[in-house]
Amino acid sequence: QTGQLLLGRMAKLRKKLTDVVELVAIDAPFPDPGDPDLRTWWHRKNNTYEGLQDALDLVQSTWSKDDFVGLIGFSQGARLVHLLALLHTNNNNNNDTANNFLPGLCFVILASGYDAPLPINLNIPIKEERIPIPSLHIWGTTDQLILPAQSQAVVLQYESPQVYAHEGGHHIPMRAESVGTYVSFVEQHIQTTTTIEQIPDQES
């Protein structure tokens, strides 16, 4: 989809967070092969994500322009958020504050996320440690595009993850109960009124 489409679909969450943070959605860098009006973060060929570096550079450039504190991604966007969390964790382990990747990242939200082999064109050392970033993992128990088991596999890679499984399919539910869960998670993990950078899904 696009950033604006996702923001529209998350209007209830935006309204609830008005006094806490602002949701910002950026468009992925590439046209979707099936619809040039939609966007995608990369083109995958086996375990190579063609265009991945462009996506990473776009997020990092946007992040540096404001006081962002968190990332939320849906489907392919959730996969991107996971890779960003890996990069952030790896960079912080180097104790190089001058070149921090996404400094100030407080939390990540992965909706319909999925596990897959790491892209071979991403330089991340494989480590046994779990990602220490606070995380909320959302998936639908009837999702036929990203199966619940695929989402659950990502959960195992995080320390103290929070899980929200809903009875729907491939979407982020905006019922009052669901929105309340998201808001509580965000409020718990931020300390100042600032902005969340939102990574939109780009898979149909």
Side-chain angles (χ1 to χ4, degrees):
Q1 53 190 341
T2 67
Q4 288 305 307
L5 282 174
L6 185 59
L7 286 179
R9 291 166 180 165
M10 300 184 74
K12 293 181 180 178
L13 178 59
R14 293 177 68 190
K15 183 177 181 180
K16 287 290 184 180
L17 288 173
T18 298
D19 296 329
V20 182
V21 293
E22 177 188 358
L23 295 182
V24 174
I26 56 179
D27 285 327
F30 306 107
D32 184 275
D35 188 339
D37 292 329
L38 304 180
R39 311 298 293 178
T40 187
W41 289 105
W42 54 70
H43 300 289
R44 182 175 178 179
K45 293 186 177 180
N46 297 317
N47 289 333
T48 297
Y49 294 8
E50 295 185 351
L52 174 59
Q53 191 58 52
D54 295 294
L56 297 175
D57 291 344
L58 175 59
V59 174
Q60 188 171 22
S61 173
T62 305
W63 187 274
S64 67
K65 296 175 182 177
D66 213 324
D67 296 323
F68 293 102
V69 292
L71 295 165
I72 177 171
F74 172 62
S75 197
Q76 188 194 45
R79 180 62 178 162
L80 175 60
V81 168
H82 178 65
L83 297 178
L84 292 166
L86 283 171
L87 283 168
H88 173 81
T89 300
N90 182 69
N91 181 271
N92 280 358
N93 287 340
N94 293 332
N95 295 318
D96 183 3
T97 56
N99 296 297
N100 272 351
F101 185 79
L102 306 182
L105 178 61
C106 297
F107 64 86
V108 294
I109 300 176
L110 287 72
S112 295
Y114 57 92
D115 193 24
L118 288 177
I120 61 176
N121 54 327
L122 183 68
N123 184 23
I124 298 179
I126 299 177
K127 300 180 179 180
E128 295 298 328
E129 296 86 353
R130 295 185 178 183
I131 299 171
I133 303 169
S135 61
L136 172 63
H137 303 262
I138 305 164
W139 67 77
T141 58
T142 59
D143 193 336
Q144 297 299 306
L145 293 178
I146 304 295
L147 300 179
Q150 294 175 284
S151 295
Q152 291 167 0
V154 182
V155 175
L156 299 177
Q157 301 180 46
Y158 287 81
E159 289 183 9
S160 303
Q162 182 175 332
V163 169
Y164 180 72
H166 59 91
E167 296 180 354
H170 195 66
H171 67 278
I172 306 177
M174 287 290 123
R175 300 187 304 270
E177 174 190 351
S178 305
V179 171
T181 298
Y182 314 149
V183 172
S184 295
F185 175 81
V186 171
E187 291 179 337
Q188 179 183 354
H189 294 292
I190 62 174
Q191 298 177 350
T192 59
T193 301
T194 181
T195 305
I196 300 175
E197 177 165 358
Q198 184 171 13
I199 302 300
D201 164 49
Q202 308 304 331
E203 290 185 341
S204 303

